Amino acid sequence: VLAVRMEPGSNRTDADELQRRALVDSFVRLEGIGDRLIHAWTAERELSIALGSPVPAQAAPATDQDTMCWHIRWHFRGLGLAEPVIGISRPVFRLAGLRQGLSESLEALACHDPQDASPVIHHVDIIVARTDPGDYEEIETALLGLVQTGAGDGFITLLQPWFAALRQQDAPLGWIQGLAMNLVMSALRAGSRVAGEPG
């Protein structure tokens, strides 16, 4: 799963919409790749792409990822626009894992440093602490219920294990950052579900 985050555009909504359509049309027509894509706009300037593999039960070839990233970057260069930042998840081997893939691609985006020479970040290259992904689903559901009911005291009980984990001695900085990022991502997704809007 690739997450593509573009620089804020102009206030001309029509021009932005045309640019979004042109971007999608450009890579959908990529020979040998375009017919293996699923895409969705998760925000006005944020596009998610699931790149399927030509071989069942195998990850999409790294060359296909490179081709997609190269094509997207050059699309923006050709328009004289700033290159977008691209986050790439670890391989997902079943449809039920697409949600996890999207989370990982967004986590990779969040770890991008503007000083980095490359705007492409692979999730496998960052340190993110996570427990069983099912725990995140439970936490988000619980957060959603607390937000809807306004039961503020419940947050302390819900988040206590997270803060207890952060108090562990000699925890590496990357591990702490990853744990905190997963908590923030869960809160953002819960908030999005309340608002009824992605992102």
Side-chain angles (χ1 to χ4, degrees), residues 18-104:
L18 288 174
Q19 181 182 322
R20 289 194 291 268
R21 290 185 184 181
L23 172 62
V24 171
D25 289 344
S26 71
F27 59 67
V28 166
R29 289 196 299 268
L30 284 173
E31 185 175 352
I33 296 180
D35 59 348
R36 290 188 276 120
L37 299 176
I38 302 172
H39 70 274
W41 290 95
T42 49
E44 184 179 355
R45 310 292 297 174
E46 188 177 275
L47 175 67
S48 292
I49 305 165
L51 173 60
S53 173
V55 182
Q58 291 187 17
T63 52
D64 287 354
Q65 294 181 14
D66 293 341
T67 299
M68 282 293 300
C69 293
W70 180 89
H71 182 81
I72 292 169
R73 293 172 63 186
W74 276 96
H75 175 83
F76 282 83
R77 283 189 189 181
L79 296 174
L81 301 172
E83 290 186 23
V85 180
I86 304 172
I88 302 178
S89 75
R90 298 165 191 265
V92 174
F93 294 101
R94 60 188 189 282
L95 287 175
L98 282 177
R99 181 178 181 277
Q100 185 65 30
L102 176 59
S103 296
E104 290 183 356

Side-chain angles (χ1 to χ4, degrees), residues 40-195:
W41 290 95
T42 49
E44 184 179 355
R45 310 292 297 174
E46 188 177 275
L47 175 67
S48 292
I49 305 165
L51 173 60
S53 173
V55 182
Q58 291 187 17
T63 52
D64 287 354
Q65 294 181 14
D66 293 341
T67 299
M68 282 293 300
C69 293
W70 180 89
H71 182 81
I72 292 169
R73 293 172 63 186
W74 276 96
H75 175 83
F76 282 83
R77 283 189 189 181
L79 296 174
L81 301 172
E83 290 186 23
V85 180
I86 304 172
I88 302 178
S89 75
R90 298 165 191 265
V92 174
F93 294 101
R94 60 188 189 282
L95 287 175
L98 282 177
R99 181 178 181 277
Q100 185 65 30
L102 176 59
S103 296
E104 290 183 356
S105 63
L106 293 175
E107 286 171 352
L109 281 182
C111 289
H112 176 251
D113 185 343
Q115 303 300 319
D116 288 345
S118 173
V120 180
I121 309 97
H122 293 262
H123 191 270
V124 70
D125 294 330
I126 64 175
I127 299 175
V128 178
R130 64 173 72 254
T131 55
D132 182 349
D135 293 343
Y136 293 102
E137 183 69 32
E138 294 173 9
I139 288 171
E140 289 172 32
T141 300
L143 280 171
L144 186 63
L146 291 171
V147 170
Q148 289 174 327
T149 60
D153 292 344
F155 287 101
I156 297 174
T157 302
L158 179 64
L159 301 181
Q160 192 62 37
W162 293 74
F163 291 105
L166 289 175
R167 285 196 294 270
Q168 291 182 15
Q169 297 296 320
D170 302 322
L173 178 60
W175 185 86
I176 294 174
Q177 289 173 330
L179 189 64
M181 185 179 301
N182 283 327
L183 173 59
V184 171
M185 292 289 289
S186 293
L188 288 174
R189 283 193 293 262
S192 297
R193 289 162 66 184
V194 171

